[in-house]
Structures are given as structure tokens and as C-alpha cells.
Amino acid sequence: QDQFVESGGGLVQPGGSLRLSCAASGFTLRQYGVSWYRQHPETERELVATIASGGLITNYADSGKGRFTISRSNTRNTVYLQMNNLKPEDTAVYYCNRITSPLPWGQGTQVTVSS
């Protein structure tokens, strides 16, 4: 079964860092561009960052520019999101998905930024 499993979330103080992981299984990740998304309570899911299949092209929503870095290891079938200088407004459930032929959404990983 093709799926992603997100991990790495947690509780962190403002200004702290987290590294999220998005592990793919059931398919060859190198064939797909991948995006990270997040969803605040009672809001729609929003795009955070995107990485092309080869890893050389990345794009970020304004909310994460200069603070977030998306990367990938096709040998490990995993996409990462390094988040630095976290703010309370980054609190959300974070998800990943393929850009083309998206899969059913996984459970995501909760990120809570609070003092």
C-alpha cells in the first residue's frame, strides 16, 4: 500500500527547532515531487514547502521562508522539514503528500510551539 508516515513533531518553546520526517512506503519516492502541508484547528490545510523529485528545486510559503528547509533522501525514501525559530503560529498538524497522484492523507505529526 502506498503511504506516507509523518513523524518528528512535539512540544517546543518559541525560537526552538524541530525536524520532521516523511517516510514513504509502497512506491519509489524519487519519481515524485513532495510537499509539506499544515493544518491549524478549524482551518483548511495549507501548503508549507515543496521539493521537486530531484531535490534541486524547492519552494516555500511566505510563512516559512528563511526559517524552514525542505530536503529529501531518495535512498532513504524520506522527505524532511527542518523548522527553525519556531513561532506559536506554527502550531499545527503537519502532513506530507505527493504533488502528483496524491495519496490519502496520513495521520500527520503534531507540532506545538508554546512556552
Side-chain angles (χ1 to χ4, degrees):
Q1 180 180 358
D2 298 359
Q3 65 177 355
F4 283 111
V5 177
E6 301 92 348
S7 63
L11 173 63
V12 63
Q13 293 185 343
S17 298
L18 284 173
R19 188 194 196 202
L20 307 185
S21 296
C22 165
S25 61
F27 66 96
T28 303
L29 182 64
R30 69 176 72 249
Q31 298 176 345
Y32 296 91
V34 175
S35 292
W36 278 99
Y37 303 81
R38 68 186 184 185
Q39 188 168 20
H40 302 94
E42 301 181 2
T43 65
E44 293 187 356
R45 196 171 282 122
E46 63 180 19
L47 181 67
V48 174
T50 296
I51 188 165
S53 57
L56 297 180
I57 300 174
T58 58
N59 286 291
Y60 299 90
D62 288 344
S63 58
K65 284 182 180 177
R67 301 188 298 125
F68 295 177
T69 303
I70 188 171
S71 62
R72 65 190 295 156
S73 170
N74 286 335
T75 56
R76 295 182 178 182
N77 247 27
T78 302
V79 175
Y80 305 97
L81 184 68
Q82 177 68 43
M83 305 189 297
N84 298 327
N85 190 23
L86 283 161
K87 304 175 181 180
E89 52 263 42
D90 295 318
T91 296
V93 180
Y94 284 71
Y95 303 86
C96 59
N97 213 332
R98 303 188 307 205
I99 296 173
T100 56
S101 302
L103 301 172
W105 293 102
Q107 292 189 338
T109 185
Q110 174 72 49
V111 171
T112 302
V113 185
S114 175
S115 55

